[in-house]
């Protein structure tokens, strides 16, 4: 059936409308589509201002960048008959697949590099400038109050070093909200602060790097300390990153090998070596200003790991969660010489205080005993070995929350509710748990209205790169969708780039486990079985940490309903960063799809969304 919303006409099936019992009358109605009118009434912006951001990112982020440079003001006279999809967008089945939306960010320039660079080490001019950019030109975005965000002193009254945060799980600070909702949250400048240690060197693993901005986040006294950037760029993108790093003689690069098509280096991790020890930070933010400004992001901050006494075997300093050996295994999987030094550093430190489990993905095809090393089979293994099934937990629902979605197949049986869900429902070493097919699955992904009403407005959708081509062929998925809402934390309008997965009691008061990770809802990130289920194929690098109650001496986690509440709650309550229970889409809600126009209502900045 065709419905009219404030954003145009969509053709939807009953699976797209959770409250409708109507059946689609034809095959055409099993697709979600947007009517395609003309753009003749829109202003001509000029191609000269449509610059890309200057770093590797998705087409969705590039569109958001263009709209920030050249916003399209809302015009009440505009209608969908005057707006068309970009000509380059196609919706035929032949053009769908891994190349479209299999990870959060996956646009890699192709073709030979115009600026081949033989060495990973980047030379520097005589005196690097903290604000220097390529060819000494000013940055695309002039420096504003958004560039180097400052927060009220009142927000800094808490002290990370007092170890009151049992789980060491934090949200990022958000600009433009009430100060109390940033209490206990972190900005990247906080993480790199001298309060945390006297920095000697650091390694930054990520997908997007805004190099000049990143350098400015380090305190002045640390800006010339060695920085290793671990990236997945190839050819022209790699040459561009090297050029951006060139003004800084202390920056070197390490390229992650991506030998399987359409994979990305999506891991987000910091290794921080201090005079006082070592710290590991696993988070969900790209190293760009926009990701640390007005988005909801997650951070796990390790304790300060002391150096082992000289001569101590490197196998010492292991935690009950095997975090040290798992981190070393993950670093070794890169098979990259620049990381050998960091592997040695990890081996020389005592990581025994760690209480989380590491869950990573690395590109490859894994069989036999190695099939459980990475991806969702790694999660399955840990849930088997370190949880126990209590009778009442058998039907506990699973909640997944993410910022991008890949191609998952023609129906739920192809991956989502077969192999992927099979991994998430495991509790204890009992093979497949009885009744697992009855376990509810709630998927949280922002609606168009969520994005429109966000702090950033429509450009916030640039970090939610779900494409029309992918959505059209899996409308069945939308029946699982729930709205993004974080009213209890005062952050509903800060769009999520965080990714979390958890299993909770039906009353949403207790939790069996919680995972914060870089991995979105995609086969590329989590892996997909091949060869009759004997081989797991993964395309991308991902990294996250799993919180299990047993590692904290508990049977289950109690859920902290209000993350930033002034009311004192037990330190043992886990701070879930959004509202529970999640609210399912109603008949008028639509998932945010980045590559169609939204012109029928203005966003919080009075603009429309025209991605072309």
């Amino acid at each position: 059936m065709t419905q009219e919303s404030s954003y145009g006409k969509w053709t939807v099936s009953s699976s797209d409308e959770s409250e409708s019992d109507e059946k689609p009358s034809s095959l055409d109605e099993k697709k979600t589509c947007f009517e395609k009118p003309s753009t003749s009434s829109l202003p001509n912006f000029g191609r000269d201002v449509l610059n890309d951001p200057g770093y590797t990112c998705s087409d969705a982020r590039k569109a958001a960048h263009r709209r920030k440079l050249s916003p399209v003001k809302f015009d009440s006279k505009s209608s969908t008959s005057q707006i068309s999809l970009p000509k380059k967008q196609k919706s035929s089945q032949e053009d769908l697949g891994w190349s479209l939306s299999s990870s959060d960010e996956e646009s890699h320039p192709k073709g030979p590099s115009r600026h081949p660079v033989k060495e990973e080490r980047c030379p520097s001019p005589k005196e690097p400038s903290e604000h220097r950019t390529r060819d000494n030109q000013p940055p695309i975005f002039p420096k504003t109050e958004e560039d180097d965000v400052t927060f009220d002193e009142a927000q800094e009254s808490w002290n990370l070093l007092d170890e009151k945060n049992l789980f060491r799980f934090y949200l990022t600070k958000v600009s433009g909200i009430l100060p109390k909702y940033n209490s206990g949250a972190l900005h990247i400048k906080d993480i790199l602060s001298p309060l945390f240690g006297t920095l000697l060197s650091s390694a930054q693993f990520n997908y997007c790097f805004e190099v000049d901005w990143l350098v400015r986040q380090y305190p002045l006294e640390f800006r010339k300390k060695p920085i290793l950037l671990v990236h997945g760029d190839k050819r022209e993108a790699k040459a561009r990153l090297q050029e951006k790093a060139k003004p800084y003689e202390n920056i070197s690069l390490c390229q992650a090998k991506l030998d399987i098509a359409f994979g990305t280096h999506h891991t987000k991790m910091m290794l921080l070596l201090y005079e006082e020890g070592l710290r590991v930070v696993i988070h969900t933010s790209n190293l760009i200003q926009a990701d640390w400004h007005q988005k909801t992001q997650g951070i796990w901050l390790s304790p300060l790991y002391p150096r082992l006494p000289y001569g101590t075997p490197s196998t010492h300093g292991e935690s009950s969660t095997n975090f040290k050996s798992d981190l070393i295994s993950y670093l070794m999987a890169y098979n990259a010489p620049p990381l050998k030094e960091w592997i040695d550093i990890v081996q020389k430190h005592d990581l025994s205080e760690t209480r989380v489990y590491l869950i990573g993905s690395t590109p490859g095809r894994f069989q036999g005993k190695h099939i459980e090393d990475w991806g969702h089979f790694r999660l399955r293994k840990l849930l088997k070995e370190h949880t126990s099934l209590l009778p009442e937990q058998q039907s506990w629902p699973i909640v997944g929350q993410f910022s991008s979605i890949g191609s998952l197949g023609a129906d739920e049986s192809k991956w989502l509710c077969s192999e992927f869900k099979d991994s998430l429902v495991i509790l204890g070493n009992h093979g497949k748990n009885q009744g697992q097919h009855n376990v509810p699955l709630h998927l949280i992904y922002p609606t168009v209205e969520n994005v429109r009403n966000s702090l950033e407005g429509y450009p916030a959708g640039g970090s939610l790169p779900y494409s029309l081509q992918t959505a059209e062929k899996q409308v069945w998925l939308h029946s699982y969708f729930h709205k993004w809402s974080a009213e209890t934390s005062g952050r509903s309008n800060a769009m999520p780039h965080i990714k979390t997965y958890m299993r909770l009691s039906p009353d949403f008061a207790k939790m069996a486990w919680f995972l914060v990770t870089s991995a979105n809802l995609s086969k590329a990130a989590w892996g997909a079985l091949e060869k009759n289920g004997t081989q797991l194929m993964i395309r991308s690098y991902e990294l996250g940490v799993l919180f299990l109650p047993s590692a904290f001496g508990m049977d289950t986690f109690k859920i902290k309903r209000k993350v930033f509440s002034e009311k004192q709650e037990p330190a043992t309550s886990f701070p879930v960063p959004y509202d529970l229970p999640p609210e399912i889409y109603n008949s008028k809600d639509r998932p945010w799809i980045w590559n169609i126009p939204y012109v029928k209502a203005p966003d919080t900045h009075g603009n429309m969304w025209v991605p072309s």
Side-chain angles (χ1 to χ4, degrees):
M1 60 179 290
T2 299
Q3 288 201 350
E4 180 93 43
S5 76
S6 57
Y7 310 108
K9 292 182 179 179
W10 290 76
T11 302
V12 296
S13 72
S14 58
S15 64
D16 193 41
E17 295 180 278
S18 59
E19 299 176 0
S20 171
D21 292 327
E22 285 191 48
K23 302 295 182 184
S25 58
S26 70
L27 288 176
D28 288 339
E29 290 185 25
K30 294 181 181 179
K31 290 185 178 181
T32 303
C33 64
F34 197 93
E35 294 196 347
K36 305 177 181 179
S38 138
T39 56
S40 58
S41 67
L42 289 177
N44 182 3
F45 307 111
R47 305 306 297 179
D48 56 326
V49 299
L50 302 185
N51 301 312
D52 74 21
Y55 48 80
T56 301
C57 63
S58 66
D59 287 340
R61 281 197 189 257
K62 291 176 183 177
H65 179 86
R66 291 195 296 268
R67 288 292 73 88
K68 285 181 179 179
L69 285 174
S70 183
V72 183
K73 285 297 177 183
F74 174 69
D75 180 356
S76 60
K77 296 179 181 179
S78 295
S79 70
T80 54
S81 64
Q82 297 170 310
I83 305 294
S84 71
L85 289 171
K87 291 182 179 179
K88 65 179 180 180
Q89 300 295 342
K90 301 177 182 179
S91 58
S92 64
Q93 293 284 341
E94 305 86 70
D95 294 315
L96 300 173
W98 288 107
S99 61
L100 290 172
S101 184
S102 56
S103 185
D104 181 308
E105 309 283 4
E106 50 196 357
S107 295
H108 284 279
K110 296 179 174 60
S113 171
R114 297 179 183 176
H115 306 286
V117 182
K118 296 181 180 179
E119 297 180 357
E120 291 293 322
R121 184 82 181 177
C122 292
S124 162
K126 294 178 181 179
E127 186 62 34
S129 165
E130 63 179 276
H131 299 293
R132 190 186 301 272
T133 59
R134 185 175 182 176
D135 300 324
N136 292 322
Q137 295 299 312
I140 293 174
F141 286 107
K143 190 171 179 179
T144 68
E145 67 276 10
E146 298 178 2
D147 189 31
D148 291 303
V149 181
T150 58
F151 297 89
D152 293 343
E153 289 298 322
Q155 300 173 37
E156 310 299 340
S157 59
W158 60 280
N159 185 351
L160 270 176
L161 304 180
D162 64 9
E163 304 295 333
K164 286 183 180 178
N165 188 322
L166 174 65
F167 303 106
R168 309 192 67 86
F169 172 65
Y170 302 90
L171 298 181
T172 51
K173 289 179 178 175
V174 172
S175 181
I177 63 175
L178 293 175
K180 66 178 181 178
Y181 297 126
N182 279 320
S183 176
L186 289 172
H187 189 260
I188 186 172
K189 286 190 171 183
D190 298 319
I191 298 172
L192 300 174
S193 165
L195 292 174
F196 282 18
T198 308
L199 194 67
L200 297 175
S201 62
S202 58
Q204 297 282 0
F205 296 67
N206 222 292
Y207 179 78
C208 300
F209 293 91
E210 201 168 359
V211 177
D212 294 291
W213 174 86
L214 173 61
V215 171
R216 290 198 299 275
Q217 307 318 299
Y218 284 81
L220 280 171
E221 60 266 41
F222 298 157
R223 287 185 187 173
K224 294 187 180 180
K225 300 294 184 180
I227 303 173
L228 178 68
L229 305 184
V230 184
H231 65 95
D233 289 343
K234 300 178 182 178
R235 298 179 291 274
E236 289 159 335
K238 178 181 175 181
R240 178 169 55 180
L241 180 61
Q242 290 170 325
E243 189 68 20
K244 293 289 185 182
K246 205 170 192 177
Y248 307 101
E249 63 180 0
N250 58 312
I251 294 181
S252 55
L253 306 181
C254 173
Q255 181 181 353
K257 295 178 181 178
L258 290 163
D259 296 330
I260 301 180
F262 310 121
T264 59
H265 182 257
H266 204 238
T267 290
K268 293 160 178 64
M269 175 170 65
M270 304 181 193
L271 300 178
L272 306 174
L273 178 64
Y274 308 104
E275 289 181 3
E276 300 86 356
L278 172 70
R279 197 182 301 276
V280 179
V281 183
I282 296 173
H283 60 103
T284 64
S285 303
N286 287 291
L287 291 175
I288 60 177
Q289 183 272 333
D291 269 28
W292 295 84
H293 181 47
Q294 290 183 322
K295 297 193 189 322
T296 298
Q297 306 275 13
I299 301 167
W300 175 76
L301 187 81
S302 82
L304 179 62
Y305 298 131
R307 188 179 177 92
L308 290 167
Y310 181 78
T312 304
S314 61
T315 53
H316 287 214
E318 182 59 278
S319 70
S320 61
T321 61
N322 292 313
F323 186 85
K324 181 175 182 177
S325 57
D326 289 337
L327 178 58
I328 290 170
S329 295
Y330 177 79
L331 295 175
M332 290 179 66
Y334 283 82
N335 193 25
L339 289 177
K340 177 64 170 62
E341 176 185 356
W342 282 99
I343 292 170
D344 293 341
I345 288 170
V346 173
Q347 289 175 331
K348 292 175 181 176
H349 284 80
D350 181 356
L351 279 62
S352 60
E353 292 302 309
T354 313
R355 301 170 82 174
V356 296
Y357 294 85
L358 195 70
I359 293 186
S361 292
T362 61
R365 290 177 165 86
F366 306 98
Q367 300 177 333
K369 65 178 183 180
H370 296 295
I371 200 170
E372 294 182 322
D373 288 353
W374 313 109
H376 72 81
F377 265 70
R378 165 70 174 164
L379 175 59
R380 181 182 300 196
K381 178 177 187 290
L382 291 174
L383 294 178
K384 277 183 184 179
E385 295 179 350
H386 302 288
T387 65
S388 56
L389 177 64
L390 303 176
E392 68 271 17
Q393 292 181 325
Q394 196 163 278
S395 61
W396 282 21
I398 293 166
V399 174
Q401 174 272 314
F402 36 83
S403 60
S404 187
I405 308 163
S407 282
L408 305 183
D411 58 62
E412 61 187 15
S413 69
K414 297 298 187 288
W415 183 79
L416 179 69
C417 290
S418 54
E419 60 176 281
F420 185 61
K421 188 178 176 183
D422 284 351
S423 291
L424 273 62
V425 299
I426 293 294
L427 284 173
N429 193 15
H430 304 289
K432 291 187 177 181
N433 301 147
Q434 294 296 318
Q436 65 177 346
H437 296 297
N438 298 321
V439 173
L441 179 61
H442 307 303
L443 302 179
I444 297 175
Y445 180 78
T447 64
V448 173
E449 282 295 287
N450 285 151
V451 175
R452 185 176 77 85
N453 291 314
S454 70
L455 292 166
E456 300 171 88
Y458 287 128
S463 59
L464 302 166
Y466 190 30
S467 71
L468 177 63
Q469 295 90 332
T470 303
E472 277 187 318
K473 62 178 181 177
Q474 54 191 34
V475 176
W476 59 265
L477 177 66
H478 302 172
S479 65
Y480 290 90
F481 282 176
H482 294 67
K483 303 176 185 181
W484 169 260
S485 177
E487 290 182 10
T488 57
S489 65
R491 291 169 169 239
S492 275
N493 294 337
M495 285 298 93
H497 191 256
I498 189 175
K499 306 96 169 73
T500 56
Y501 302 82
M502 55 186 163
R503 192 163 187 188
L504 309 97
S505 59
D507 62 358
F508 297 94
K510 294 184 291 186
M511 186 159 54
W513 54 265
F514 179 88
L515 172 67
V516 60
T517 176
S518 63
N520 280 299
L521 190 68
S522 76
K523 297 178 184 177
W526 286 102
L529 287 171
E530 299 176 328
K531 295 188 175 180
N532 295 320
T534 63
Q535 177 174 284
L536 186 71
M537 189 271 284
I538 300 174
R539 297 175 186 268
S540 298
Y541 293 89
E542 308 280 358
L543 201 61
V545 292
L546 174 67
F547 298 81
L548 294 181
S550 58
F552 294 85
M554 306 175 195
D555 293 326
T556 58
F557 295 130
K558 291 183 179 179
I559 292 176
K560 185 175 183 178
R561 292 283 184 168
K562 296 185 178 181
V563 177
F564 298 103
S565 172
E566 295 178 359
K567 178 183 176 183
Q568 291 297 319
E569 294 190 52
T572 54
S573 297
F574 199 96
V576 175
Y578 40 83
D579 296 343
L580 295 172
E583 181 184 355
I584 197 166
Y585 279 22
N586 64 39
S587 61
K588 293 184 178 180
D589 287 322
R590 297 291 178 267
W592 170 262
I593 293 173
W594 79 268
N595 58 341
I596 58 177
Y598 300 103
V599 300
K600 285 294 186 178
D603 67 10
T604 51
H605 298 270
N607 298 324
M608 303 185 293
W609 176 253
V610 184
S612 59

